[in-house]
Structure formats: C-alpha cells, structure tokens
Amino acid sequence: MKHLKNILTLIGLIAVVSTLIFAVQSNEVEEMPVAKKPVTKDKNVADTYQISAIDIPDDLNFAGEPVPQEDPEIMERVDREFLVNTYWQSNAVLLMKRANKYFPIIEPILKKNGIPDDFKYLAVAESGLENLVSPAGATGFWQIMKGTGREYGLEVNDNVDERYHIEKSTQVACDYLNKWKKRFGTWTLTAAAYNAGPAGIQKFMGIQQVDDYYDLLLGQETGRYVFRILAIKEILSHPEKYGFELEPEDMYKKVPTFTVEVDTAVTNWADFAELYEINYKILKRHNPWLREPHLNNASRKKYTLEIPNKGYYRVGSAGQ
C-alpha cells in the first residue's frame, strides 16, 4: 500500500511539472515577433495608360465626298472603326511603318490615273500592305482575283503572278476604279464596289432603291469597309493626335534598287541571284511575282527584275 502511494505521488509530480513546462513554452511562442509582409501599393494601370473615347473630326470625307456626320447611326459606325483601329496599337504602328515604304510607290500611280490619293488607304484596308492571299483567292496588296487580273492584262499562272507586282497591280486597281466610277458616280460607292463587287452593289441599290453608300444596308464586311478606310486615313495622317510617336528612323524604308531585263528562260533563280551577290530569298523579296524557282518563258517575253544595290543585305556564303 505504501508503494502504491509513492507511485501515485510521483505520477502527480510529473503531471504538474509537464503542465508548467507547456505553459512556459506557450508563453514564449506567443511573445515571438511575427514577420509582417511589406505593404505595397497595388499597381494601377491608369497611372501610365489612359483609355478614352475618340474625338471624331468634324470634316470627315472620302476622296472629297463628305460623310453625313449629322446622322447618329452613321457616327456610331464611324466611332467603332476609330476605336478599333486606334486601340489596336500594334497593327496601327505596323501600318505606319509599311506606309512609309510603299506609299511613295503607290501615290504617283494613283495620281497619274486620276484616282484620288485616299485610295492608297483602300490598299491598306484590303491587305495591310502585305502580299496576302484571301480564302477566296484574292491576291496581293490590292487583293485582285485571278480572273480580274487576267482581264486587265496581268500574267497570272504558276510560274509568274503579276498580282504580286506592286506597280502593275496598282495600275490594274486604277483601271478598275476608273471604270466603275463612271458607272456609280461617286468614289465612295466605287470603293464599296471594289470590296463587294460591282454586281453586288448594283443588286443592293436596286432592292433598296437608294443610290448612296451611306443609305445602303450591306453585309458586315462591306458595311464597315469605307468607315474603316476613313479611320485608317485619319490615324495614319495624324498619328500624334492618336497617341502614336514614331521617329523617321522607326519607319521601314525601300532599299535602293536597279533593274535587270530578262528575255530568256531561267533554269534556277538561286544561281541567277548569285550573279548579283544576293541570294534567292532577297531576289524573291524584291520580285514576289516570281512564283517558282525557275522561269519557263518559252515565248521570250521581256521581264524587268528589281535587284537591290550592294551593301544593304547580309548574304551568307553557300554552305553556311
């Protein structure tokens, strides 16, 4: 019995000591300083970037033909294109850079043919000044269909496709526009016909019994078409007004070239390029209308090629 009391007493002492130790440890933990996260101010995008509505100019016109800006429906459509094209900044900057390179080629051809200068922005709307091919097969800066190109005198086949030739395709666009201006009477309707096709515009005019682009209810693409051209024209003409700051050195520039005439077949354009200390890629960059690595030319037709002046491109040696 005595031993039992001693055991119980020992157990009691152990329990008391354990309680005291736990209490001390808990107190130490509570007193330990807790590391605090540094207080940081949330980044506010508005501190460096402002988005606002666009002030539309009061004198909008296409090729000198005024836009009916008193019409609220018209102005909503104008506003849409200004917003989309102003705030699609990367695309707008690319268009400005390319325009600096290609407008000097297009402008004198338009002028020579009596086409208003505003139609250079039609080429921008059509292709972004790139040699694109649409799902329907329209090709080049001016998005010319194969049949139209041939009808207006372009060579279009697997070997040569002059729809990719900027000067020749611009001339075809001028001939086409002058033809349909005589039919439609206004440059605005002529521009719409360039996009939708003359037959389509004539059909809509007949059904709806109106003769003004701004009165026509058209499909999504053609309905936005002239408005998009108006926005592109304004933004590219006054970039600083819309927040774009580009220096002359930022712009793309045309590399100086000289011409070479070819009136025979060419077995291999890569070998031909080496004669002028360039490579196949550079030859095709300057002559995208050459569609295959060779030229058949059984008829001995005379072709004029652009060759870049020396010193503008890096040209590696064969095998490198």
Side-chain angles (χ1 to χ4, degrees):
M1 190 70 177
K2 183 178 178 180
H3 290 298
L4 180 59
K5 286 182 179 179
N6 290 336
I7 292 171
L8 291 173
T9 302
L10 180 61
I11 292 172
L13 288 171
I14 292 171
V16 170
V17 171
S18 298
T19 302
L20 290 171
I21 292 172
F22 178 77
V24 170
Q25 289 178 337
S26 297
N27 188 53
E28 288 177 351
V29 170
E30 288 176 0
E31 292 178 356
M32 288 179 65
V34 177
K36 296 182 179 180
K37 292 182 179 180
V39 177
T40 58
K41 181 183 177 182
D42 290 338
K43 183 178 179 181
N44 190 345
V45 176
D47 291 340
T48 56
Y49 182 59
Q50 300 293 323
I51 301 172
S52 63
I54 304 295
D55 289 331
I56 307 298
D58 295 328
D59 58 348
L60 285 182
N61 71 87
F62 176 72
E65 298 171 2
V67 178
Q69 291 180 249
E70 70 283 356
D71 186 320
E73 189 268 344
I74 296 296
M75 290 311 295
E76 283 190 22
R77 294 161 71 186
V78 168
D79 188 54
R80 173 182 181 174
E81 301 308 323
F82 269 75
L83 287 168
V84 168
N85 288 281
T86 298
Y87 289 115
W88 188 8
Q89 294 96 330
S90 58
N91 186 64
V93 171
L94 282 171
L95 295 182
M96 292 171 196
K97 288 173 174 278
R98 292 177 193 147
N100 188 74
K101 182 178 181 179
Y102 295 115
F103 276 1
I105 302 172
I106 293 171
E107 288 167 347
I109 301 173
L110 296 177
K111 184 176 181 180
K112 181 185 71 174
N113 288 273
I115 302 296
D117 191 65
D118 281 1
F119 276 88
K120 66 190 180 189
Y121 301 108
L122 181 146
V124 178
E126 283 286 335
S127 65
L129 300 178
E130 292 187 285
N131 273 317
L132 303 181
V133 180
S134 77
T139 297
F141 278 30
W142 294 93
Q143 290 290 278
I144 298 171
M145 296 296 290
K146 183 184 293 186
T148 303
R150 288 173 174 166
E151 178 187 349
Y152 284 82
L154 295 182
E155 182 177 350
V156 182
N157 54 52
D158 292 338
N159 203 219
V160 170
D161 190 340
E162 292 181 328
R163 293 177 295 170
Y164 291 96
H165 193 298
I166 183 170
E167 289 91 350
K168 291 186 177 183
S169 63
T170 301
Q171 181 60 53
V172 166
C174 289
D175 294 341
Y176 185 93
L177 292 166
N178 272 326
K179 175 182 177 179
W180 292 106
K181 168 61 162 57
K182 293 176 183 176
R183 163 62 184 85
F184 291 111
T186 69
W187 289 116
T188 309
L189 274 174
T190 303
Y194 193 95
N195 179 255
I201 295 299
Q202 287 177 314
K203 175 184 175 182
F204 284 120
M205 289 171 65
I207 293 172
Q208 299 175 32
Q209 300 180 26
V210 293
D211 58 3
D212 189 302
Y213 171 80
Y214 298 106
D215 292 326
L216 282 169
L217 179 62
L218 299 166
Q220 174 84 342
E221 182 179 345
T222 310
R224 294 180 61 182
Y225 189 66
V226 171
F227 297 96
R228 185 177 176 217
I229 294 172
L230 290 167
I232 291 170
K233 169 189 171 182
E234 173 66 14
I235 295 164
L236 267 61
S237 298
H238 308 287
E240 67 290 337
K241 180 178 173 181
Y242 299 94
F244 297 98
E245 296 181 2
L246 279 76
E247 301 298 330
E249 58 269 24
D250 297 326
M251 299 299 193
Y252 299 151
K253 299 173 180 65
K254 188 178 186 299
V255 169
T257 61
F258 60 96
T259 59
V260 172
E261 291 186 343
V262 173
D263 61 359
T264 63
V266 177
T267 304
N268 189 313
W269 283 120
D271 292 338
F272 180 92
E274 285 188 9
L275 298 174
Y276 298 96
E277 300 181 36
I278 57 175
N279 59 28
Y280 180 81
K281 178 187 75 173
I282 294 170
L283 179 70
K284 289 293 291 292
R285 289 283 187 185
H286 283 269
N287 303 278
W289 50 274
L290 299 173
R291 304 311 297 167
E292 294 184 306
H294 59 273
L295 179 67
N296 296 331
N297 202 13
S299 64
R300 302 294 299 269
K301 179 178 177 179
K302 184 181 290 186
Y303 295 94
T304 301
L305 281 74
E306 280 195 359
I307 306 295
N309 292 354
K310 293 181 182 180
Y312 283 88
Y313 292 106
R314 170 199 170 276
V315 182
S317 302
Q320 288 188 345

